[in-house]
Amino acid sequence: MSTGFSLNQIPFSRILFIIISINFLSRFILVLRPLPYLDGIMIPDDAYLSLHLARSIGDGNGPWYDDVYTNGFQPLYVFLMAPVFALSNDQVEGPVKIALLLLSLFDTAALAVLMLWIKKMTSSVVAGIASLIWIFNDYIIPTTLNGLETIIATFFIVWASYYFYLIYYEKPERKNHHFLILGIIAGFACLTRVDSLIFAFIVGVFILFKEFADKKQLIIRASFYGVSALAIFSIWVIYSMYYTGLWYPESGKAVRLISLTHANFQTDLGFFKKIFWHAGAMIWRGNGYLIIMIILMMVFVLRKKLFTLTLVRSFSPLILFFSIMFFAYTCYIFTSWYFSRYFFPFTVLFILLFAVLLDVILRHSSGTLRKLAIPLVLLLWFVPLFVRGNFIHYYTGEPDNTLGYRNMALWANDNFPKGTVIGSSQSGALGYFCPDLKVVNLDGVVNGECYQYLIEERNMEYIRKRKIEYVVGWYNNIDFIKLRTQNFKESDLQLVKKIESFQSWQHHWYVYTVAP
């Protein structure tokens, strides 16, 4: 294909090196920014829960949180961070920066695999354009640098999908060891996020269909894939069963209970309408301009009768996986405040679809349109990006000491005497930054004992059992305690103060004393 674009004449290996270098540098510059700034705009409370548990494991205490072992975390990220705490004298701020650096590496690796995949399906030109949309993206940046496992899971899912593509669309002769490797990659996806088991299962189903004609090869290859994937995932199963007797993270059950409680367990049509609206709005906020470009290109391709299902068949496992995940999180988990990271992998799917459509247009359009297509795409992407201003703000914004979760932890450390027992539904930053306080988790995400009390609507009984002196949280956190306590009395929790000097993600914090 000749597009008149000189990028085609540069070796792809050089393009790949330049692109991934730019990507990593763009993330590394952000990692160097002050922690108070990053905490205020990118790092949720759950990130500090993960780091707290990594510190506990690194110190040789196992997944210990709040006087109890927990499996309420996604394992691989925590396991990767545990040695950092074991080897570092800095047990607080330094590991946060190392965690963000680690996520930057996975972000860059995910882009590298995605570029290789797009290059196989299209051209160097299209792969280069798609990579720019990844690098300069005001949704991808804060999501991948959120201090959680989001980008790690995305990397392994993309890698497994790309390897599946190589096996069935690129390799002249499939070998059994290819399925062993695919299973290992899928297994690491599951080890990163347990819900990736759905992805591993879907890939397994596709293998069964692809190999159905030869029963002997089907059994061998499906076994190689399944056994290797389960072998990797069994690391988590054994570890979690040893400490807690459970393999499924208790955090999933807890967050579902929270969402149902706030909806008063009224999962009627109106409730689902609201959930679907939130999900669609989140996907649109993160990918709106990319979706607009896809729609415009799809209109052109359909009018020219150039679109066929073969364009998307190579990433059909991803399409099926993301579709199932969408309905799983909207029809079962419900926690709309997590949708920004739950639905992040949709961005990968949109970029793949964008790439194949752009390639069709470049291959089948006239000379003038072919020359204008790439400048027009770049204009449609970069003008709104810089008009919105979020991307530039990440690099130039001044730290705001009135935002983030870290502020509440520092305030608690300064205002509560050493050894004070405090409880909170959002206990991540409090537990991580306040080693001299006794922090008790009250939403059950990392506290199986508390979860049982929540199920039985005895939350205040648990609070008193644990001798909690103060409860801190947002207004909806306090409301959750009331809703999960039968016969709650307003005198059970007495308001001490509303903290006016800072907020966490647009929410004020409240401090309550616990009545005897």
Side-chain angles (χ1 to χ4, degrees):
M1 179 185 70
S2 176
T3 63
F5 195 70
S6 60
L7 190 62
N8 269 329
Q9 301 167 6
I10 305 174
F12 181 70
S13 59
R14 186 177 301 175
I15 297 171
L16 180 63
F17 177 77
I18 293 171
I19 288 295
I20 63 175
S21 298
I22 293 172
N23 185 81
F24 180 75
L25 182 62
S26 69
R27 276 44 172 173
F28 183 67
I29 291 171
L30 276 176
V31 173
L32 294 178
R33 301 224 61 197
L35 182 58
Y37 176 72
L38 298 174
D39 175 75
I41 64 171
M42 294 184 184
I43 306 178
D45 190 63
D46 287 354
Y48 296 115
L49 281 177
S50 295
L51 292 176
H52 181 100
L53 289 164
R55 182 168 61 193
S56 178
I57 295 171
D59 290 342
N61 299 319
W64 184 258
Y65 192 99
D66 177 25
D67 284 342
V68 67
Y69 287 117
T70 180
N71 72 349
F73 61 96
Q74 303 296 346
L76 183 60
Y77 172 58
V78 171
F79 292 163
L80 289 173
M81 285 303 301
V84 174
F85 290 97
L87 300 173
S88 174
N89 291 326
D90 185 347
Q91 295 287 292
V92 184
E93 296 203 359
V96 178
K97 289 300 190 80
I98 294 175
L100 298 182
L101 183 62
L102 175 70
L103 298 178
S104 299
L105 290 170
F106 274 100
D107 177 286
T108 303
L111 175 59
V113 174
L114 191 61
M115 281 192 70
L116 289 170
W117 192 0
I118 293 174
K119 171 62 170 61
K120 289 285 186 181
M121 295 188 295
T122 60
S123 67
S124 298
V125 174
V126 176
I129 299 302
S131 69
L132 294 179
I133 289 178
W134 179 282
I135 297 170
F136 301 96
N137 193 306
D138 53 10
Y139 172 52
I140 289 179
I141 286 176
T143 308
T144 60
L145 296 181
N146 62 5
L148 287 163
E149 77 292 331
T150 310
I151 188 58
I152 304 178
T154 302
F155 163 70
F156 282 111
I157 289 170
V158 172
W159 189 12
S161 301
Y162 171 56
Y163 202 82
F164 178 88
Y165 169 84
L166 291 179
I167 290 175
Y168 285 108
Y169 297 97
E170 287 290 325
K171 292 186 181 297
E173 184 179 356
R174 295 188 290 276
K175 302 290 187 180
N176 292 337
H177 74 270
H178 294 150
F179 295 86
L180 179 69
I181 296 171
L182 178 60
I184 292 172
I185 301 170
F188 273 107
C190 300
L191 190 62
T192 307
R193 279 192 65 88
V194 174
D195 56 18
S196 296
L197 282 168
I198 299 172
F199 170 76
F201 176 77
I202 289 171
V203 172
V205 171
F206 271 86
I207 291 173
L208 293 178
F209 278 107
K210 295 283 187 180
E211 302 292 331
F212 190 76
D214 188 335
K215 300 297 188 297
K216 181 179 178 181
Q217 290 288 21
L218 183 152
I219 294 171
I220 295 173
R221 291 171 174 177
S223 298
F224 269 61
Y225 169 77
V227 170
S228 58
L230 288 174
I232 299 298
F233 183 67
S234 66
I235 297 171
W236 166 246
V237 175
I238 294 169
Y239 186 85
S240 181
M241 291 292 291
Y242 176 79
Y243 282 105
T244 68
L246 305 169
W247 72 269
Y248 183 79
E250 57 196 5
S251 53
K253 297 182 293 184
V255 296
R256 185 171 189 270
L257 177 64
I258 294 169
S259 61
L260 286 171
T261 299
H262 285 302
N264 199 27
F265 287 85
Q266 299 298 314
T267 53
D268 54 12
L269 182 60
F271 172 81
F272 282 106
K273 276 181 164 180
K274 187 176 180 181
I275 288 291
F276 279 110
W277 171 259
H278 280 303
M282 182 59 250
I283 293 172
W284 177 261
R285 282 198 301 272
N287 305 281
Y289 286 95
L290 185 55
I291 293 172
I292 289 172
M293 288 195 290
I294 289 171
I295 292 172
L296 292 175
M297 289 191 291
M298 184 65 81
V299 169
F300 175 85
V301 169
L302 288 174
R303 288 188 62 183
K304 296 289 185 179
K305 298 181 179 179
L306 301 173
F307 182 80
T308 64
L309 290 177
T310 57
L311 293 173
V312 297
R313 69 175 182 174
S314 58
F315 46 92
S316 50
L318 275 183
I319 296 174
L320 182 56
F321 171 60
F322 293 151
S323 299
I324 292 174
M325 291 303 293
F326 177 85
F327 288 104
Y329 283 117
T330 52
C331 298
Y332 182 73
I333 300 296
F334 305 129
T335 44
S336 57
W337 53 92
Y338 290 151
F339 282 174
S340 62
R341 61 182 190 255
Y342 284 165
F343 296 145
F344 171 72
F346 272 86
T347 302
V348 174
L349 189 58
F350 291 139
I351 290 177
L352 286 169
L353 184 56
F354 163 85
V356 296
L357 289 172
L358 179 60
D359 183 64
V360 169
I361 291 173
L362 292 176
R363 288 179 183 278
H364 297 91
S365 58
S366 63
T368 302
L369 180 57
R370 187 180 300 174
K371 291 178 181 178
L372 291 177
I374 291 174
L376 182 60
V377 164
L378 294 176
L379 190 69
L380 286 172
W381 181 255
F382 280 99
V383 169
L385 179 74
F386 288 109
V387 168
R388 291 195 301 271
N390 293 336
F391 180 82
I392 296 297
H393 181 73
Y394 295 149
Y395 294 91
T396 62
E398 292 297 322
D400 188 342
N401 291 324
T402 65
L403 302 174
Y405 284 94
R406 179 174 169 272
N407 286 320
M408 182 59 210
L410 298 180
W411 183 93
N413 218 35
D414 292 339
N415 287 272
F416 292 124
K418 183 177 180 179
T420 301
V421 184
I422 62 175
S424 179
S425 289
Q426 300 191 81
S427 61
L430 288 164
Y432 185 76
F433 288 103
C434 302
D436 294 332
L437 302 178
K438 178 67 176 177
V439 179
V440 180
N441 175 259
L442 293 181
D443 60 10
V445 172
V446 288
N447 189 338
E449 184 184 27
C450 180
Y451 175 75
Q452 292 303 318
Y453 277 80
L454 289 169
I455 289 290
E456 297 165 7
E457 298 185 23
R458 300 161 59 203
N459 204 0
M460 278 305 305
E461 183 179 335
Y462 180 75
I463 289 170
R464 291 193 173 97
K465 173 187 174 183
R466 294 299 306 275
K467 295 181 171 53
I468 293 172
E469 301 167 67
Y470 295 92
V471 172
V472 299
W474 299 351
Y475 180 79
N476 59 355
N477 300 146
I478 307 303
D479 193 45
F480 178 66
I481 295 173
K482 297 177 181 179
L483 292 170
R484 300 311 306 173
T485 302
Q486 290 184 13
N487 304 317
F488 179 87
K489 300 185 295 293
E490 291 301 320
S491 59
D492 287 338
L493 293 177
Q494 299 169 7
L495 179 65
V496 175
K497 69 177 300 180
K498 172 185 177 183
I499 303 175
E500 299 283 0
S501 55
F502 57 83
Q503 300 180 48
S504 297
W505 296 32
Q506 292 80 51
H507 287 81
H508 281 288
W509 288 84
Y510 297 83
V511 181
Y512 289 79
T513 56
V514 180

